[in-house]
Amino acid sequence: DGGITQSPKYLFRKEGQNVTLSCEQNLNHDAMYWYRQDPGQGLRLIYYSQIVNDFQKGDIAEGYSVSREKKESFPLTVTSAQKNPTAFYLCASSPTRTGELFFGEGSRLTVL
Amino acid sequence: AQSVTQLGSHVSVSEGALVLLRCNYSSSVPPYLFWYVQYPNQGLQLLLKYTSAATLVKGINGLEAEFKKSETSFHLTKPSAHMSDAAEYFCAVSDKGFQKLVFGTGTRLLVSP
């Protein structure tokens, strides 16, 4: 079945460590997105990519990095520079210029 | 900059009662508006969207939302709540380019028997 796969579902990390969250889609969508979700704050956009080898910062990009080397993949690295990384991270993809986002099931990152 | 405001972080209704979830938008250009639903520990799913065609948009399971430019609103309604409607609902806005969606803070719907 077509969809978006995020891994791992749960991740624990020590302070000062970088961690990479995986996002893979087989929907043949051009656009991909990373959002961060915190209780009471809704979804905040971290990075997005409209095409392979190109991506743009969202509203809260500091402390995060991404790459888009393949159409199917958009991994997110949470670096040690991110001061408050504990959150639920959601990846999404979208057919170009429709506004309809297809979400993965999320990755919950906890910093110990 | 575009934004949406969802009034009420929690809404409680009884099973069978009317559901009304409020969303007001701010946009300097004609907006495109969306409602998404999220069940616990899952991603979001699109319920319906307004893209400047009909102002009354119908979704699945009796859901509707009406675009009212004079009130800058896009409220979500359902005539009769069901226990399975309990979830968190998010309103979102985009511009015509659809490059990115801006989400509201969400409203958690609680349905009691």
Side-chain angles (χ1 to χ4, degrees):
Chain A
D1 285 357
I4 300 179
T5 301
Q6 289 187 242
S7 63
K9 194 170 180 65
Y10 297 95
L11 185 62
F12 298 88
R13 157 196 132 170
K14 293 181 180 179
E15 283 192 21
Q17 289 181 334
N18 292 355
V19 61
T20 297
L21 307 180
S22 171
C23 179
E24 303 278 333
Q25 56 105 352
N26 61 4
L27 299 168
N28 199 33
H29 289 167
D30 288 314
M32 296 189 74
Y33 305 81
W34 275 105
Y35 285 90
R36 170 178 170 145
Q37 185 175 20
D38 297 282
Q41 297 193 49
L43 277 70
R44 293 181 290 168
L45 183 63
I46 305 173
Y47 270 97
Y48 63 104
S49 168
Q50 298 288 331
I51 196 169
V52 174
N53 292 323
D54 189 40
F55 48 83
Q56 288 77 39
K57 292 182 179 180
D59 301 316
I60 57 164
E62 185 175 351
Y64 300 98
S65 66
V66 294
S67 63
R68 186 87 188 274
E69 297 176 359
K70 298 186 300 182
K71 187 175 184 177
E72 312 81 58
S73 178
F74 192 42
L76 173 74
T77 296
V78 185
T79 75
S80 57
Q82 170 48 238
K83 297 305 178 189
N84 185 21
T86 294
F88 190 52
Y89 291 88
L90 286 162
C91 179
S93 69
S94 176
T96 302
R97 303 192 182 285
T98 66
E100 182 173 354
L101 268 59
F102 293 76
F103 283 85
E105 294 202 338
S107 293
R108 188 169 298 279
L109 172 63
T110 303
V111 175
L112 304 173
Chain B
Q2 297 178 302
S3 66
V4 289
T5 300
Q6 293 185 243
L7 294 176
S9 59
H10 292 80
V11 170
S12 295
V13 299
S14 299
E15 198 169 17
L18 171 72
V19 175
L20 171 61
L21 304 180
R22 300 178 185 272
C23 174
N24 288 89
Y25 69 89
S26 173
S27 177
S28 58
V29 297
Y32 292 81
L33 295 157
F34 306 82
W35 276 101
Y36 283 80
V37 64
Q38 184 182 35
Y39 297 98
N41 294 313
Q42 293 187 22
L44 282 68
Q45 302 167 40
L46 178 67
L47 291 173
L48 45 79
K49 63 180 180 180
Y50 166 76
T51 55
S52 76
T55 55
L56 181 63
V57 182
K58 294 181 184 291
I60 59 172
N61 296 332
L63 287 165
E64 290 184 354
E66 185 171 9
F67 174 72
K68 293 186 176 180
K69 185 177 179 180
S70 60
E71 299 177 6
T72 62
S73 69
F74 189 58
H75 302 330
L76 181 69
T77 61
K78 184 175 181 181
S80 177
H82 191 271
M83 297 294 289
S84 61
D85 294 324
E88 190 153 21
Y89 292 79
F90 292 90
C91 182
V93 63
S94 174
D95 62 15
K96 188 176 181 180
F98 295 122
Q99 285 213 9
K100 58 179 182 176
L101 264 64
V102 176
F103 286 85
T105 52
T107 297
R108 186 169 299 278
L109 177 65
L110 307 169
V111 182
S112 56

